[in-house]
Amino acid sequence: MEPIRMRSFEHWRILKSSFRASVSRAVCFAGVILFVIVGFSVWAAAQKSVAVQGGSTTPLYSVVSPIGESTVKMISMVPRRNSLAGETVCMVWNRAFKADVTLPAIGEQLKQLYPNIRVVSHTQTPVAPMPSTPDNPNKDAEDLGAALKKQGCSVLVTGNGG
Amino acid sequence: MAHAAVVAEKSGIPSVVVAGPAFKKQAEVTASDQGVPSLRVAVYPGPFDLHADSELRENAVKIVVPQVIEALTKPLPQSVSAQASLKEQMVREIVFTGTIDEVNRYFSDYQWSDGMAIIPPTVERVEEFLKYTDYAPHDEIAVLPLANLRATPWNIAVNAVMAGARPEYMPILIAAVQAIGDPAFRLAVTGGSTHSFNTFYWVNGPLSRQLGIDAGQGLIAAQANQAIGRTMSLIERNIAGFRTKETQMGTFGKLQSWVLAEDEEALKKIGWQPDHVARGFDKDVSTVSAASSTFMGQNIIPSTSDPKILMQLVAYGITYNEAFASGMIDSPRTLLITPTTAEVLAKGGYTKSKLIDDLVETARKPTYEWTFSKVYGSYGRVFGSFDTELQRELNDPRAAKGKLPPWFPRAPGWEEIKTTPSIARNAIRILVCGDPSRNKAQVLAGGRGRSIKEVKLPANWDELMEKAGYRPLKEFVIN
C-alpha cells in the first residue's frame, strides 16, 4: 500500500494546527511561570517591608543634652543637733506670707519645750536675702551670715515660702 | 526664703525652712542649685495668707514645730553629691540614640522638653549654629539663676535646635541670654514667681529686619518670633532650671516667651526714637531687651483723634492693667502702641518722653483704693491694719489732692480726694509695634527687672547671610 501523499495545502493545514497547539502550550507554560514569579515577588516584598518596620532603615538620632554646665560646688551638710536644749535658735523672715505671725509662735513653743533655749526673734535678724549667683554674690547674704555669727546662732528657722 | 537657709548651712548652722505644701520641692531644688544638697523643710498645711492669725499660730504650734524639731535634730540621710557631677558629664556627650519618637520621649521623661515635639539636637545640627558666632563653644555667656548653670554657645545652640530655630538666630539668642543673665533683669525673682511672670524680649536695630523678626500685625505669633521665644523658654527650663511644680511656681502656669521687634520705620515717620536709642545705643546697632509681664490682659482701643484724651486712655490702661489686690500695685509697665495710634499722639506734639511725663502725672489712683489693694492683696510690705496703712499712705508725700484722674466725675468735693501715683517715670517703656492699621495699645505689667544687650555679630556675618540667601544687613539700616 502506498503511503498517503498529502497535498500541499494539507501540509500547511497540519502545520498550522500543529503550530497553534505549540503556541498554546507555550502560552500556558509562560502563564504558569509568570504566576510563580509574581507570587514570589509579592511574598518577597512582604518580607522586605517587615524588615523595614523592624528598624533597619528607620532614622536614628544621636543627641546631646540641653542642660547647662554646673558652676556650684556641693557642700557637705553640717550634722544636725542631738537636741535643741541649750541652743540659740535664730528666726529669719522674708517679709512674706505672715511669717511675722508663724515664726514667733514657733519660737514660743520651742521655749515651752526647751526651757534653756534662746530664741532670737526675726525682728533682730536681717531679712532673708534675695538669690545670688556665684559671680554676682549678694551682699545681703554676707550681712545675714555676719549677723547669725554675731548673734551666736546655732540653728536657724526661716520662713515663709509660699 | 531658702536662701537664708543656704547662708546658714554654708556657715555650718543647721537650718529648716517653713513653706507651704507646694513649695517644699522648690525650696529643696533651690538650695541644691545653690550647693546645699539636703535642705530640710517643715511644711505648713495650707496657704498662709488665707488663714486667720489664730489658725496660723495653732498650725504653727501643732503641725510645724514637730517638723522643725525633727529637721534640726534627726540625722540626715546619705545625701546626693552625684547630681552636679552628672550634669558635668552630660555636657557635649551623646546622651541618647533613638528614633525621633524615642528622642522626644526621652527628653520629655527628663523634663528637658516643654511637651511639644522637638528637633533632635544632634552634634551636626548644633555645630551649624556655632558657625554664626565668634564665641568659642564653651565660652561663658552667662550664669543663669536659679540653677546657676553656665550658658554657653554650645548649650544655647542645643536648645535652639530643639525649638526649631534657625542657625542665623544665634547672635540674637546669645544677646537674649546675656540680657536675662544680667542681675538687673532679676531672673532669680521673676523666673519662678507665683505671679507667672512671662519673660519677653524686643529687638531693635537692622538685624531684626534682616532676620524677619516681625514688628507688624501678629508679631509675637510670627514664625521667627515664635522660634526665638520657644528657644528662650527652653533655656529658662534647661539652663536657668525653672521647671513647673518644682522651681517654676506660676500659679496658673507660665507662657512661652514673647518676642517683639519695634517698628522703626514707623518711628522714623512720626519722629520718635527707637527704644534702644533712648537707652543710649546707636540706631544702627542691634539690641535685645528683656523684661517680664504677667498675663497680657485687655488691650486699649482708643476711639478718639484727640491726642490728649488718647493719652488719658493710655493712662487709664496703665493704672488698671496691672494687678489689683495682689501686691503688684506699682509694677513696671511696657506699653505697646500701634503705629497709627502713636501717629495721633505724635501729631499732638507728644514724643515718647513727653508722653511718659503726662502718663505719670495722669495715672493715679485714689489713695484709699491704693491702700485697699496693698493691704488686702499684698504678700508683704504691710505693717499694720487697714486704717494704719491708710494713714501712712495719706501722709506719704506722693499722695496729693486735686489730681483726681479725668475718668472720675467731678462731683462736689472732688478736689479733696487724695490720689497716689500708680507708676514711676523710669518704670515705663514705650514700644511702637503691631498692626499699623489698628487703633490699639497694650499694657504689659511685670516684674521690676529689665536689661538690654547689644547683639554681637561674627566677623563673617555678611558672607554667612549671603550663603543663607538673605539680603545684606546694610540694606536694613534706616537712614
Side-chain angles (χ1 to χ4, degrees):
Chain A
M1 188 171 181
E2 285 185 7
I4 297 171
R5 285 180 183 270
M6 288 188 288
R7 285 175 285 235
S8 60
F9 76 90
E10 285 175 325
H11 279 278
W12 177 241
R13 184 170 56 82
I14 290 168
L15 277 173
K16 270 175 73 176
S17 169
S18 175
F19 179 72
R20 277 198 216 106
S22 297
V23 167
S24 296
R25 281 195 290 274
V27 167
C28 285
F29 183 71
V32 169
I33 297 298
L34 187 63
F35 178 79
V36 169
I37 291 172
V38 167
F40 180 78
S41 298
V42 167
W43 175 85
Q47 301 307 307
K48 188 178 175 186
S49 72
V50 167
V52 168
Q53 288 165 10
S56 61
T57 58
T58 303
L60 299 177
Y61 302 93
S62 293
V63 294
V64 294
S65 163
I67 63 173
E69 301 169 17
S70 178
T71 62
V72 173
K73 196 175 167 187
M74 287 294 184
I75 64 168
S76 295
M77 297 291 288
V78 63
R80 307 295 96 176
R81 301 295 179 222
N82 292 327
S83 163
L84 293 185
E87 300 292 343
T88 297
V89 181
C90 282
M91 301 286 185
V92 172
W93 80 317
N94 60 349
R95 271 206 205 130
F97 306 113
K98 301 190 178 179
D100 55 338
V101 174
T102 53
L103 289 177
I106 293 168
E108 285 307 309
Q109 180 64 7
L110 289 175
K111 282 184 196 172
Q112 295 288 323
L113 296 171
Y114 302 96
N116 60 346
I117 204 171
R118 176 176 162 246
V119 174
V120 178
S121 164
H122 70 278
T123 58
Q124 296 173 280
T125 57
V127 175
M130 295 301 286
S132 62
T133 56
D135 55 346
N136 283 301
N138 191 328
K139 190 175 177 306
D140 289 349
E142 294 172 12
D143 291 346
L144 176 62
L148 295 178
K149 190 176 175 183
K150 189 177 175 185
Q151 290 280 6
C153 299
S154 57
V155 292
L156 178 113
V157 179
T158 182
N160 285 335
Chain B
M1 39 48 207
H3 303 283
V6 167
V7 168
E9 295 287 348
K10 289 184 174 180
S11 303
I13 300 171
S15 68
V16 59
V17 174
V18 180
F23 294 84
K24 178 176 186 292
K25 180 76 172 170
Q26 183 199 25
E28 290 166 349
V29 174
T30 298
S32 176
D33 287 341
Q34 301 276 330
V36 174
S38 297
L39 183 77
R40 304 289 92 189
V41 181
V43 177
Y44 178 88
F48 298 98
D49 286 348
L50 294 183
H51 291 181
D53 287 2
S54 56
E55 189 176 359
L56 284 167
R57 291 189 194 97
E58 184 178 353
N59 285 334
V61 166
K62 287 185 178 171
I63 298 174
V64 176
V65 165
Q67 296 179 69
V68 165
I69 294 170
E70 180 175 321
L72 295 173
T73 58
K74 186 176 175 183
L76 294 170
Q78 290 301 310
S79 66
V80 194
S81 60
Q83 195 168 357
S85 58
L86 178 66
K87 290 175 184 174
E88 288 161 14
Q89 283 169 10
M90 291 178 95
V91 169
R92 221 189 165 128
E93 288 183 1
I94 300 297
V95 296
F96 183 77
T97 297
T99 63
I100 190 163
D101 288 339
E102 290 166 346
V103 168
N104 270 274
R105 173 57 64 86
Y106 185 87
F107 274 57
S108 179
D109 288 348
Y110 268 81
Q111 300 247 7
W112 292 345
S113 88
D114 50 16
M116 293 184 282
I118 60 156
I119 305 289
T122 60
V123 170
E124 294 74 25
R125 284 186 179 270
V126 173
E127 287 179 342
E128 200 55 37
F129 278 72
L130 298 177
K131 294 176 183 173
Y132 287 83
T133 177
D134 283 340
Y135 285 106
H138 298 288
D139 278 350
E140 180 175 296
I141 300 300
V143 173
L144 297 183
L146 198 63
N148 293 317
L149 299 177
R150 183 176 293 116
T152 63
W154 176 268
N155 52 42
I156 292 170
V158 172
N159 284 277
V161 169
M162 290 165 63
R166 295 184 181 183
E168 55 266 31
Y169 299 164
M170 192 65 173
I172 296 282
L173 295 169
I174 288 175
V177 170
Q178 289 170 327
I180 62 172
D182 188 333
F185 180 71
R186 295 161 62 95
L187 180 63
V189 176
T190 58
S193 169
T194 56
H195 294 305
S196 304
F197 287 117
N198 190 47
T199 310
F200 71 98
Y201 306 86
W202 62 94
V203 185
N204 282 108
L207 193 60
S208 63
R209 295 179 285 281
Q210 185 188 32
L211 290 173
I213 299 172
D214 209 309
Q217 185 271 321
L219 66 167
I220 67 171
Q223 290 177 351
N225 305 48
Q226 291 256 49
I228 294 168
R230 189 185 180 204
T231 303
M232 295 311 298
S233 291
L234 287 173
I235 285 173
E236 279 200 40
R237 167 185 289 271
N238 292 320
I239 304 177
F242 290 109
R243 292 191 170 83
T244 306
K245 300 190 200 297
E246 194 177 282
T247 44
Q248 206 311 299
M249 304 306 293
T251 302
F252 302 109
K254 186 167 174 169
L255 300 171
Q256 179 177 295
S257 285
W258 309 321
V259 174
L260 314 160
E262 214 179 357
D263 189 338
E264 294 179 7
E265 286 166 357
L267 286 166
K268 179 166 169 62
K269 186 179 163 196
I270 63 175
W272 281 12
Q273 276 186 337
D275 182 68
H276 68 318
V277 172
R279 307 287 139 239
F281 290 87
D282 185 87
K283 71 171 181 63
D284 297 336
V285 158
S286 295
T287 60
V288 175
S289 299
S292 66
S293 169
T294 50
F295 292 163
M296 223 184 232
Q298 271 291 3
N299 53 192
I300 303 160
I301 314 173
S303 301
T304 176
S305 55
D306 184 326
K308 184 174 177 186
I309 295 179
L310 204 162
M311 178 280 296
Q312 292 170 346
L313 281 167
V314 175
Y316 181 93
I318 281 182
T319 303
Y320 291 107
N321 197 348
E322 51 85 33
F324 178 77
S326 75
M328 299 300 300
I329 51 177
D330 54 0
S331 53
R333 316 292 203 281
T334 306
L335 177 60
L336 311 182
I337 306 184
T338 57
T340 38
T341 306
E343 193 170 353
V344 171
L345 292 164
K347 283 179 179 170
Y350 280 111
T351 59
K352 278 189 182 180
S353 181
K354 177 76 173 67
L355 178 61
I356 290 174
D357 287 342
D358 280 11
L359 288 172
V360 170
E361 188 63 25
T362 309
R364 300 178 72 94
K365 275 185 178 172
T367 306
Y368 190 99
E369 181 184 352
W370 170 271
T371 308
F372 187 100
S373 174
K374 185 178 163 188
V375 169
Y376 296 116
S378 175
Y379 68 92
R381 298 180 292 166
V382 174
F383 300 101
S385 65
F386 175 82
D387 288 334
T388 305
E389 284 298 314
L390 179 61
Q391 283 310 307
R392 181 205 296 273
E393 291 298 336
L394 288 171
N395 292 331
D396 189 295
R398 297 178 307 164
K401 292 181 185 178
K403 292 193 174 188
L404 195 66
W407 49 82
F408 283 96
R410 265 43 184 168
W414 71 270
E415 302 93 335
E416 295 302 307
I417 299 173
K418 272 197 171 179
T419 56
T420 300
S422 53
I423 190 75
R425 195 183 196 291
N426 62 357
I428 303 180
R429 291 279 192 278
I430 298 174
L431 305 177
V432 175
C433 59
D435 188 341
S437 66
R438 279 302 261 131
N439 48 324
K440 292 281 183 86
Q442 178 74 55
V443 177
L444 305 178
R448 296 183 195 284
R450 282 195 184 108
S451 64
I452 181 169
K453 297 294 174 191
E454 183 176 336
V455 179
K456 302 280 189 219
L457 297 175
N460 60 340
W461 177 256
D462 289 335
E463 178 193 333
L464 287 168
M465 293 302 274
E466 186 181 357
K467 277 187 194 162
Y470 286 84
R471 287 158 49 206
L473 185 63
K474 62 184 179 188
E475 290 190 16
F476 297 95
V477 169
I478 296 174
N479 296 311

